[in-house]
């Protein structure tokens, strides 16, 4: 039995003996680009049922199907961590979504802050990026990418049991205040390139569920800060222990 | 006195009253692109003398000069940390150089491992990336980018007093073994996308100065791993404390 070299995300439920119809794009990718043939192996995941080995059952130019034979990995859920970030230039926004998926965010929330330049985002495009990152990094889970929300409208209805870690460039000293006692549901908030406004910073510091951390003495770009902040959190509270 | 919005790296020594001649590219950037005029302010650094405020003294299409008036920040050296990485696709290699600069590497060393695809790198182009990253992130230091070296030729002559942290995907558990007692000179080694070869992994584990760490249960791309590994190191041993 040959091992699968290609990992593919599908929406279909996965289970032994299931037949998975392919979309036109998937058929083009598997048969046109990757040149798979009947009975070649593919790894499948749908974000819910773990990873399964499947074989090509029918191969056409615009369609085809796979037959699922066995589960190769269980679903591995990331910690209950949201990554909230202020969208920046397109390439770096894409990058943050990719990195958040690799680093193990459960949900990715673009937020509009006082100094956010992006007026709108393409949620569907960013969700596709998260899927691609999960395919690449061997993940069995795909974080949900939310629509753009305004930070000042999110904070009033903030869930009581979720802690919020935010990065404050004016602080010195690392994330020594993070403790497991504070609960298992968290969000990390990364500000825009211009930082938070004074009003936002003041408000964040006053929130009982918010925890300010420093990411060192140099100014980090937002995409660097996202990876660094998730590393700090994963080491202290997540599944890197 | 107006504050400078533009940061520029120059090679010239910096001191009060110095006149800094501009290269053709710098003159084009300052006067053609950014539209500065006589007596407008610019922040300068050269990686050695800290950050200085200067004013435009002469402005031409292809030349010009600045006059330095006062030091605004001391030189802030990063910790004595080398980032060694196996070059990957162009955009991601550029990205690693940018991130290593922001995260505070003192030296950036592209290395060829058994599974490295890149045959060669453009050292001058990568060095220019490091300079640009330092300009952007407010750094006063620019890490030196080395020429591509083969890992198997670097290890035999490895400096006795420098520790090496490498990331091993097969490990579980985070960087609990890093301790200040091991010394202040370090290097971080990031493997290529295909990981280290078995021979390399075995060799690395056998070196007395090498320390394996895990970066969590998901597979990280090399550029993500570079930022995450530097975060782990900076928190444990660097200047984020």
């Amino acid at each position: 039995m040959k091992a699968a070299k290609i990992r593919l995300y599908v929406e279909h439920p996965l289970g032994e003996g299931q037949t998975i119809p392919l979309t036109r794009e998937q058929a083009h990718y598997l048969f046109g680009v990757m040149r798979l043939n009947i009975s070649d192996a593919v790894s499948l995941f749908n974000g819910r049922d773990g990873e399964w080995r499947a074989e090509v059952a029918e191969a056409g130019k615009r369609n085809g199907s796979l037959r699922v034979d066995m589960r190769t990995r269980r679903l591995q859920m990331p910690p209950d961590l949201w990554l909230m970030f202020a969208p920046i230039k397109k390439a770096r926004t894409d990058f943050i979504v990719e990195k958040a998926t690799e680093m193990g965010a459960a949900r990715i929330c673009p937020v509009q802050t006082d100094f956010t330049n992006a007026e709108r985002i393409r949620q569907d495009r960013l969700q596709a990026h998260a899927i691609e990152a999960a395919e690449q990094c061997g993940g069995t889970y795909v974080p949900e990418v939310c629509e753009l929300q305004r930070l000042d409208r999110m904070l009033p209805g903030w869930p009581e049991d979720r802690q919020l870690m935010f990065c404050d460039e004016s602080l010195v000293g690392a994330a020594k205040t993070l403790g497991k006692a504070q609960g298992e549901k968290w969000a990390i908030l990364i500000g825009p390139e211009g930082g938070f406004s004074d009003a936002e910073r003041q408000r964040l510091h006053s929130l009982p569920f918010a925890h300010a951390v420093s990411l060192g003495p140099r100014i980090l770009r937002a995409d660097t800060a996202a990876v660094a902040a998730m590393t700090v959190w994963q080491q202290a509270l997540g599944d890197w222990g």
Side-chain angles (χ1 to χ4, degrees), chain A:
Chain A
M1 203 171 74
K2 287 174 286 182
K5 286 185 182 163
I6 295 172
R7 296 189 86 237
L8 199 65
Y9 171 86
V10 294
E11 306 217 328
H12 204 277
L14 294 170
E16 208 178 309
Q18 286 271 15
T19 296
I20 312 290
L22 295 170
T23 64
R24 190 178 167 141
E25 290 74 27
Q26 288 168 336
H28 172 71
Y29 173 67
L30 292 182
F31 312 129
V33 180
M34 302 306 292
R35 306 270 170 191
L36 293 198
N37 293 309
I38 298 289
S39 85
D40 281 347
V42 180
S43 264
L44 300 180
F45 67 107
N46 60 7
R48 303 181 303 275
D49 300 323
E51 181 187 88
W52 292 73
R53 187 184 180 282
E55 288 190 359
V56 176
E58 301 166 277
K61 276 202 174 173
R62 293 174 185 177
N63 48 41
S65 65
L66 305 174
R67 184 170 302 271
V68 180
D69 55 31
M70 58 179 285
R71 191 165 71 175
T72 46
R73 283 169 60 205
R74 284 170 180 278
L75 173 65
Q76 187 191 33
M77 289 290 291
D80 189 350
L81 174 67
W82 300 352
L83 182 75
M84 298 162 63
F85 73 100
I88 37 178
K89 281 185 222 156
K90 182 177 166 302
R92 288 187 193 264
T93 296
D94 292 352
F95 191 87
I96 288 180
V97 170
E98 175 187 306
K99 292 329 179 198
T101 304
E102 284 177 49
M103 292 292 300
R107 181 184 282 195
I108 299 171
C109 310
V111 294
Q112 195 167 353
T113 66
D114 290 348
F115 296 159
T116 306
N117 284 321
E119 291 301 305
R120 59 189 203 87
I121 56 147
R122 283 277 309 273
Q123 186 276 340
D124 57 339
R125 217 177 45 76
L126 294 182
Q127 185 66 66
H129 264 286
I131 288 171
E132 203 183 311
E135 286 174 343
Q136 290 275 338
C137 80
T140 50
Y141 175 84
V142 178
E144 174 200 4
V145 180
C146 307
E147 290 286 354
L148 185 66
Q149 294 170 77
R150 278 178 52 175
L151 181 62
D152 60 1
R153 292 195 187 152
M154 280 185 89
L155 293 178
W158 190 261
E160 259 183 16
D161 58 347
R162 187 170 297 274
Q163 307 296 310
L164 176 69
M165 164 177 149
F166 69 100
C167 307
D168 188 339
E169 287 165 5
S170 61
L171 281 184
V172 181
K176 301 227 164 103
T177 59
L178 302 180
K180 293 221 189 241
Q182 289 150 346
E184 290 183 355
K185 297 182 181 179
W186 280 79
I188 292 174
L189 171 61
I190 304 292
E193 303 267 295
F196 294 111
S197 68
D198 284 344
E200 279 170 340
R201 182 172 283 114
Q202 228 166 36
R203 179 162 191 193
L204 286 167
H205 276 284
S206 75
L207 295 171
F209 51 83
H211 308 261
V213 303
S214 155
L215 298 175
R218 284 158 295 271
I219 298 170
L220 304 183
R221 279 182 186 267
D223 50 355
T224 320
V227 178
M230 294 187 77
T231 303
V232 166
W233 189 89
Q234 286 285 17
Q235 278 213 300
L237 299 168
D239 61 11
W240 287 26

